[in-house]
Amino acid sequence: MSRRVVLVRGARGPGGGGCCSGDVRPFDAGGQHHHRTPDDPVGAVYRALRTGLPDDVAIEVVSPSNWLWLVPALVGDGRRRGLRGAALRRSVRAGLALESLIAGGSVLASGGLPPPDAALAATRAELGLP
């Protein structure tokens, strides 16, 4: 059984103009170079997993646009888990969603991450850690 955890990033804030999708008003019109920090629950979940899991568990944070890495990883982990055919296709599709959590080839969350404590508990249970 694989001891790899994959976190798929979500959207990183609204798209827009200016650097970092920040305010595009000119400075003389009251614009400033202050940005609202994009909400990214992946960071909080990653920190919870990294502190709560043993060092030999690999935690990969992947952009959903990096499907060249993500699809083979999801297929390989799913096959090691024993998934085939339609079940494997459903698992890969769920794993490609924004803000997904995959542990040991099992998609624990798809389309939205749970709170950090719940993510850690689910991951530890899936990996069979006490």
Side-chain angles (χ1 to χ4, degrees):
M1 182 72 60
S2 174
R3 294 189 33 119
R4 174 170 51 188
V5 177
V6 178
L7 281 169
V8 180
R9 284 197 172 282
R12 304 191 89 195
C19 69
C20 308
S21 302
D23 192 351
V24 294
R25 292 181 297 162
F27 285 101
D28 58 357
Q32 300 179 35
H33 193 86
H34 293 286
H35 302 251
R36 179 179 63 85
T37 304
D39 295 332
D40 188 4
V42 171
V45 171
Y46 175 82
R47 287 187 293 275
L49 293 175
R50 189 67 282 162
T51 57
L53 294 175
D55 291 339
D56 65 335
V57 176
I59 302 173
E60 310 279 352
V61 179
V62 182
S63 168
S65 65
N66 190 2
W67 57 270
L68 285 174
W69 184 89
L70 194 53
V71 169
L74 292 171
V75 169
D77 287 353
R79 283 187 172 172
R80 276 189 288 280
R81 186 173 178 75
L83 298 177
R84 300 288 186 267
L88 181 60
R89 282 192 298 276
R90 281 192 300 273
S91 175
V92 169
R93 190 176 195 156
L96 288 172
L98 298 176
E99 295 186 9
S100 296
L101 172 63
I102 302 107
S106 177
V107 179
L108 302 178
S110 177
L113 291 172
D117 291 342
L120 177 61
T123 302
R124 290 186 72 85
E126 184 61 36
L127 297 178
L129 298 171

